[in-house]
Amino acid sequence: MSIRPKVLFLACAAFSVSAYAQHGIDAGDINRNGAACNDFFDYANGAWRTAHPIPDYMDRWSRRWESGEINKEHVRDILTDVSKKTDWSKGSAEQLSGDFYAACMDDARIDALGAKPVQPLLDEVRALKTPADVQRTIAHLHDIGIAVPFGLMPAQDLHDPTQMIAHLTAGGLGLPDRDYYLKPEKRFAEAREKYLVHVAKMFELAGEKPAAAKSDAATVFAFEKRLAEASLDNVALRDPTQQDHKTRFADLGRLAPSFDWAAYFDAGKLAHADLNVTQPKFLQQFDKELKSTPVAQWRSYLEWQVLNAAADSLSAAFVEQNFAFNGKYLSGAKEMKPRWKRCAESADNQLGEALGKKYVEKYFPPEAKARTQEMTKYILLAMGDVIRDLDWMSAETKKKAQEKLASFTVKVGYPDKWKDYAGVQISRGSYWDDVVAASRWNVDDGRGQIGKPVDRARWGMTPPTSNAYYNPLLNEIVFPAGILQPPAFDVKANDAVNYGAIGVVIGHEITHGFDDEGSQFDAKGALSNWWTPQDKEKFNARAQCVVKQFDGYFIEPNIHHNGKLVLGESIADLGGAKLAFLAYKKSREGKAPEPTLDGFTPEQQFFIAWGQWRGDEIRPEAQRKMVQGDPHPIAKYRVNGPLSNLPAFKDTFQCKADAAMVRPAADRCEVW
Ligand SMILES: [Zn+2]
């Protein structure tokens, strides 16, 4: 569990990579008994999935996830190497990341310390007597990245994206989202029961007697349930207008009068300036809790939140209990990841740009950057052509859309300016203390941006990350070096294959600028409507087609995707596949055709590359969790959903009009 504040409004897709002997698609991974036009997901990667069961430590598995894990091996090699030396100059990237990793890997020492590292924090919470004490401790927890029950994060002003302001956010829940507390379905009721047991066990590990632990767990649950009732649900969280509440500092006191905002902002060295309250109703509930909930209940709640944040950094008993609930029960993993993987992930989370430089030097050649930039150029051009040719959009709105497209920023590989972690105190003494020190630095780094012009050079992901994102407030697409690895991207592979895998990802991120959420932000990144009412209505009708399509995808008899929740990602997948295919064709104009591979034409290779890279096997628990809370559909429908709408797919595999992979004309969705 990370204790760093989450970044708002990042619409991203999750992906990855791998070390490959073969450059391109692998015909051996295809299910030859299947039919491309019947179930392309199964056709493209069915044989691979049969031959590669999900490892016990994962909740899903594909070539994409495999390559993400290989990335972690690269990170480990770098960390192991720097941690061998103990005389790096204090504060250097090597000293910080090397000592952080060494402290994390020293499980004998961590186990011997038990709950001791977190004891001072627990003592502080257990000593709370008055509402004023509660407020001081909330501020202290925020200083070290434990953002409960609300959080404060830097983000751009939604209406003036040149400026960074504070955003007050809702948080403080131990279950994944509000529905887990409130919905009557059996799976949520069961999760609540298991959660109560889990929280009680954590209290016991921190030294409570079983009866007290049980009663404290019940207090925590009731407390969090009240917060959940005042929180937005997952669909509302995707709607920026529902989180747009610019507030004068003076009015914070009206919204939540029981909290001393002046003292809180002063302690954080923050000016008393205008800010955005993302969820006013939540803040009012927080105020009610401060005013009327006995401090004894606050003690239980905050103690639990401290334990929850610290669990993964403490002894094996805490780590295992945390895994039993979050990893095993909620996600279906059978065993924990090896310690080195967890430590590599943690080092990357906390000090990612310290080791990122070395990662890039070793695993991201300049030609990979150049080729990605070239592909991106063609895919942006394809989007320009698509907008130009739309038959449903007025010239007026098209002009605005083209303006927005022309102002996209593209970031590839790694930041031009690296973070300087000077002053972070990292040693091999106590892993939890290192996590706190790094979190504190990250919190300060964030607070330092508030009240200043936006720094467009910053990155929201670290270089080794196997992922990508679109940020509507900066109107930028970002592809870390960690995703630009085989088989998503391979400098030695055919263009057809690269466009089919990473190209679709690039098209996906570009389309996010024009999905149901991104389309509400203009060329400058402001939340501002640039659509004529008629065009907006037509766009919404097209989006509704996608909602309906995904509402119809079931994972179990009574559980299906929530079309509204996955709308943005599904519009992006549909646009991404279309754009990358067009861009591939355009990029090959005037060049000799690429070779067939195992009898597959370049166009077929394009789609197979997408199906092979994206397709995964997933555990039922993880699938249920995704359908409930993840704005991304499961891989099967990320492959079959968009492709069954795409005429280029139908033509490439010569599918009959009534094939399962060809949606009837009346149901066919096309947004962009
Ligand atoms: Zn996405």
Side-chain angles (χ1 to χ4, degrees):
M1 184 140 308
S2 164
I3 61 168
R4 269 173 72 183
K6 294 220 163 57
V7 187
L8 250 196
F9 301 132
L10 287 188
C12 52
F15 343 92
S16 318
V17 202
S18 128
Y20 264 78
Q22 170 130 6
H23 305 291
I25 58 165
D26 192 335
D29 293 345
I30 290 173
N31 175 9
R32 297 284 184 175
N33 298 321
C37 297
N38 186 40
D39 179 350
F40 190 71
F41 168 82
D42 181 55
Y43 175 77
N45 65 64
W48 189 94
R49 286 185 295 123
T50 306
H52 298 83
I54 308 175
D56 285 350
Y57 62 86
M58 293 293 288
D59 54 21
R60 45 184 164 158
W61 197 236
S62 64
R63 301 212 307 185
R64 163 195 164 209
W65 294 109
E66 179 191 46
S67 55
E69 294 305 299
I70 289 169
N71 260 12
K72 285 168 199 165
E73 290 173 18
H74 295 158
V75 168
R76 173 198 58 190
D77 293 347
I78 292 167
L79 289 166
T80 306
D81 201 36
V82 292
S83 66
K84 276 183 194 145
K85 251 177 79 171
T86 49
D87 57 351
W88 297 107
S89 71
K90 186 95 184 131
S92 63
E94 290 86 355
Q95 182 266 318
L96 296 173
S97 45
D99 284 351
F100 186 94
Y101 184 68
C104 181
M105 287 300 289
D106 190 354
D107 50 348
R109 183 174 170 80
I110 290 170
D111 286 346
L113 290 171
K116 230 182 234 162
V118 83
Q119 200 59 49
L121 210 47
L122 293 177
D123 290 343
E124 177 184 333
V125 171
R126 286 169 184 166
L128 299 177
K129 289 198 175 59
T130 67
D133 295 342
V134 171
Q135 300 198 22
R136 267 192 301 275
T137 292
I138 289 173
H140 178 204
L141 294 178
H142 284 200
D143 288 344
I144 58 170
I146 303 179
V148 295
F150 70 90
L152 179 144
M153 52 169 284
Q156 285 154 276
D157 185 333
L158 293 171
H159 301 282
D160 177 9
T162 64
Q163 295 299 315
M164 297 296 285
I165 61 169
H167 291 241
L168 288 185
T169 59
L173 304 181
L175 282 165
D177 63 57
R178 85 190 292 276
D179 287 352
Y180 281 83
Y181 294 86
L182 305 173
K183 284 210 164 166
E185 284 91 328
K186 200 171 146 240
R187 64 183 188 280
F188 296 114
E190 186 193 274
R192 290 192 279 273
E193 273 171 38
K194 302 260 183 198
Y195 182 59
L196 278 168
V197 174
H198 167 58
V199 176
K201 281 192 177 156
M202 292 284 271
F203 278 130
E204 282 185 52
L205 289 175
E208 284 195 17
K209 294 264 188 298
K214 202 175 164 195
S215 132
D216 281 352
T219 300
V220 166
F221 182 81
F223 194 106
E224 290 184 355
K225 189 180 172 196
R226 296 194 295 275
L227 296 180
E229 276 163 348
S231 303
L232 293 178
D233 68 19
N234 289 327
V235 170
L237 282 171
R238 287 198 58 254
D239 180 359
T241 59
Q242 293 208 43
Q243 296 179 78
D244 173 25
H245 307 281
K246 186 86 180 272
T247 304
R248 291 189 319 134
F249 183 82
D251 290 337
L252 265 183
R254 242 167 271 171
L255 204 56
S258 307
F259 192 68
D260 187 346
W261 293 104
Y264 173 81
F265 274 71
D266 290 346
K269 297 193 183 66
L270 292 161
H272 297 189
D274 295 355
L275 71 172
N276 182 36
V277 176
T278 60
Q279 299 193 37
K281 195 178 153 202
F282 181 90
L283 215 57
Q284 285 167 328
Q285 182 61 36
F286 164 64
D287 190 70
K288 257 190 221 164
E289 300 297 337
L290 269 184
K291 204 159 59 188
S292 49
T293 302
V295 172
Q297 292 187 26
W298 273 98
R299 284 200 293 266
S300 302
Y301 170 71
L302 292 174
E303 179 172 344
W304 154 245
Q305 288 294 344
V306 167
L307 291 170
N308 195 26
D312 276 345
S313 314
L314 300 177
S315 58
F318 286 96
V319 177
E320 279 160 16
Q321 180 55 42
N322 195 34
F323 172 76
F325 182 73
N326 287 299
K328 212 173 204 167
Y329 173 67
L330 284 181
S331 299
K334 302 229 179 301
E335 64 179 40
M336 250 184 283
K337 284 187 176 180
R339 182 150 197 102
W340 69 261
K341 274 194 195 197
R342 288 179 275 134
C343 290
E345 286 170 359
S346 178
D348 183 41
N349 264 334
Q350 297 290 358
L351 301 163
E353 287 192 23
L355 65 95
K357 225 182 204 169
K358 282 191 194 297
Y359 175 84
V360 166
E361 279 163 18
K362 243 178 138 171
Y363 301 105
F364 192 60
E367 68 211 273
K369 182 162 179 164
R371 191 134 165 220
T372 305
Q373 285 168 326
E374 174 81 1
M375 287 170 69
T376 307
K377 190 187 83 190
Y378 274 108
I379 299 168
L380 284 165
L381 284 173
M383 186 63 180
D385 291 348
V386 164
I387 294 169
R388 183 196 62 205
D389 296 340
L390 290 176
D391 59 8
W392 55 270
M393 188 184 271
S394 69
E396 200 183 338
T397 305
K398 278 186 184 179
K399 191 166 163 259
K400 295 277 168 62
Q402 296 284 16
E403 272 171 29
K404 176 161 183 173
L405 185 67
S407 69
F408 263 63
T409 298
V410 182
K411 291 178 174 171
V412 176
Y414 50 89
D416 293 328
K417 193 175 81 185
W418 296 90
K419 280 182 186 170
D420 176 2
Y421 295 90
V424 191
Q425 296 294 319
I426 302 291
S427 76
R428 302 193 177 199
S430 151
Y431 175 52
W432 168 248
D433 287 349
D434 287 348
V435 170
V436 167
S439 292
R440 192 188 286 276
W441 188 91
N442 282 306
V443 168
D444 287 345
D445 180 50
R447 286 176 180 167
Q449 298 174 59
I450 294 172
K452 297 200 181 118
V454 64
D455 177 358
R456 301 184 67 94
R458 292 177 73 93
W459 279 53
M461 283 179 185
T462 66
T465 306
S466 300
N467 210 335
Y469 66 90
Y470 169 73
N471 182 340
L473 287 153
L474 289 165
N475 197 31
E476 67 176 11
I477 46 176
V478 185
F479 306 97
I483 193 176
L484 301 168
Q485 307 288 330
F489 171 75
D490 185 343
V491 282
K492 295 194 177 116
N494 273 356
D495 281 347
V497 171
N498 279 332
Y499 274 94
I502 195 70
V504 177
V505 174
I506 295 168
H508 171 106
E509 300 306 341
I510 292 170
T511 311
H512 268 317
F514 303 92
D515 70 14
D516 59 319
E517 182 182 350
S519 64
Q520 299 183 51
F521 293 83
D522 68 14
K524 295 197 161 69
L527 182 59
S528 154
N529 180 36
W530 45 273
W531 295 70
T532 66
Q534 294 83 355
D535 289 334
K536 193 76 197 186
E537 211 171 288
K538 286 178 194 159
F539 174 86
N540 289 341
R542 285 169 174 270
Q544 190 52 40
C545 176
V546 178
V547 170
K548 210 175 135 197
Q549 180 185 1
F550 280 81
D551 273 342
Y553 287 142
F554 281 75
I555 58 156
E556 286 173 29
N558 294 312
I559 308 178
H560 61 84
H561 266 302
N562 176 349
K564 276 192 182 143
L565 178 62
V566 300
L567 177 58
E569 297 300 332
S570 302
I571 291 175
D573 281 340
L574 183 52
K578 177 177 168 176
L579 294 177
F581 191 79
L582 289 171
Y584 168 61
K585 300 295 272 183
K586 188 135 188 157
S587 75
R588 297 301 305 176
E589 277 174 12
K591 294 180 187 164
E594 291 195 298
T596 56
L597 212 141
D598 293 307
F600 293 109
T601 65
E603 288 78 10
Q604 288 174 329
Q605 293 169 43
F606 172 95
F607 289 111
I608 292 170
W610 175 243
Q612 292 199 335
W613 182 69
R614 172 62 69 199
D616 68 18
E617 189 73 25
I618 182 166
R619 296 192 195 280
E621 294 88 346
Q623 187 163 261
R624 266 174 237 138
K625 195 174 160 200
M626 272 190 84
V627 166
Q628 161 61 24
D630 196 322
H632 302 87
I634 61 166
K636 179 178 177 178
Y637 299 124
R638 293 193 72 175
V639 174
N640 287 353
L643 298 190
S644 61
N645 283 314
L646 223 56
F649 173 80
K650 173 178 166 264
D651 297 344
T652 296
F653 287 91
Q654 296 172 345
C655 300
K656 294 208 180 90
D658 62 352
M661 284 299 299
V662 180
R663 285 173 70 78
D667 296 335
R668 200 170 77 79
C669 304
E670 183 174 59
V671 182
W672 291 99

